[in-house]
Amino acid sequence: DSGVTQTPKHLITATGQRVTLRCSPRSGDLSVYWYQQSLDQGLQFLIQYYNGEERAKGNILERFSAQQFPDLHSELNLSSLELGDSALYFCASSAGQMNTEAFFGQGTRLTVV
Amino acid sequence: QKEVEQDPGPLSVPEGAIVSLNCTYSNSAFQYFMWYRQYSRKGPELLMYTYSSGNKEDGRFTAQVDKSSKYISLFIRDSQPSDSATYLCAMVKTGNQFYFGTGTSLTVIP
């Protein structure tokens, strides 16, 4: 167990809908990272927050947004969902700003039908 | 062309073999290099990271970086069935931009 908790584990929703994925980092970790893993694109970095502030941005679509709350948990919001958004979404956390010592959660499997 | 290229395999080896996993990259801006192991239905697990050319050893694992050739490798000695997983290379640019390889599927046969 990495200590990073993601909920829900599975999510099935229809196209056009909006969902929120939640991540609780390891105790004491200030950075949270979001990744998308699909069969055709592999693992892609979406966004990083550090102590509540956006720190780095990757290939995150405009339909997606994230935030980190004062208690350091983070949420990834996905809206106007398309079939191609079906993927595993991982959250990772690290103590500092660099991902060299990050720990991943078990992921949320999103299926858009 | 992708910034990070990794042979997807699959790779199948007998127990005890030495395994070599490789990635190439095109952008010299990458500063940190990492290897992750991912078991089926699990999140990636960091194995090793390095930021300089040369070798870094941790138990049965050795990470090798050759910045002049833009090539990184992970060697697994005395491979075990429990090493069967997908191995992902990852690289970080200035500004914390992360890029992953597509992963190499490894099976170690008892």
Side-chain angles (χ1 to χ4, degrees):
Chain A
D1 182 4
S2 66
V4 178
T5 304
Q6 288 187 250
T7 56
K9 286 189 171 50
H10 302 278
L11 197 50
I12 301 175
T13 189
T15 54
Q17 295 298 304
R18 173 190 167 95
V19 297
T20 298
L21 312 183
R22 183 187 167 100
C23 171
S24 294
R26 291 188 320 152
S27 178
D29 283 358
L30 297 180
S31 273
V32 169
Y33 311 80
W34 286 99
Y35 297 88
Q36 179 194 57
Q37 188 173 41
S38 60
L39 282 174
D40 56 343
Q41 295 286 333
L43 191 62
Q44 295 211 58
F45 166 65
L46 296 178
I47 198 164
Q48 176 199 0
Y49 278 82
Y50 176 77
N51 204 21
E53 300 290 327
E54 183 182 303
R55 175 67 177 86
K57 211 169 201 177
N59 297 322
I60 188 166
L61 299 173
E62 286 192 12
R63 301 184 284 110
F64 296 0
S65 65
Q67 56 184 326
Q68 186 179 29
F69 294 87
D71 67 352
L72 301 177
H73 90 272
S74 178
E75 292 180 356
L76 179 67
N77 299 296
L78 315 175
S79 61
S80 302
L81 285 168
E82 303 174 359
L83 295 178
D85 297 327
S86 296
L88 260 173
Y89 290 84
F90 285 107
C91 167
S93 74
S94 67
Q97 296 191 47
M98 287 302 298
N99 193 21
T100 51
E101 296 280 358
F103 294 83
F104 279 74
Q106 296 298 294
T108 293
R109 182 171 292 280
L110 173 67
T111 303
V112 183
V113 297
Chain B
Q1 184 190 5
K2 286 187 177 180
E3 298 221 39
V4 180
E5 299 279 356
Q6 182 175 8
D7 185 341
L11 192 58
S12 185
V13 301
E15 184 175 353
I18 296 174
V19 177
S20 172
L21 304 165
N22 310 297
C23 286
T24 58
Y25 61 98
S26 55
N27 195 323
S28 56
F30 287 120
Q31 297 181 319
Y32 291 86
F33 305 90
M34 292 165 278
W35 284 97
Y36 287 85
R37 176 175 61 196
Q38 186 174 21
Y39 292 113
S40 181
R41 300 179 185 279
K42 300 286 188 183
E45 171 194 5
L46 180 66
L47 286 175
M48 300 185 72
Y49 78 89
T50 184
Y51 54 86
S52 58
S53 280
N55 293 351
K56 182 176 180 179
E57 195 172 310
D58 184 1
R60 296 185 296 111
F61 298 91
T62 299
Q64 186 177 79
V65 174
D66 182 346
K67 287 189 176 181
S68 61
S69 301
K70 296 188 179 66
Y71 189 90
I72 70 170
S73 299
L74 178 71
F75 298 97
I76 307 174
R77 288 184 300 281
D78 187 25
S79 55
Q80 303 295 309
S82 58
D83 295 328
S84 298
T86 296
Y87 290 80
L88 298 149
C89 64
M91 308 182 187
V92 185
K93 276 187 203 177
T94 307
N96 263 11
Q97 293 296 317
F98 304 99
Y99 294 84
F100 286 81
T102 50
T104 300
S105 175
L106 170 68
T107 301
V108 179
I109 303 167

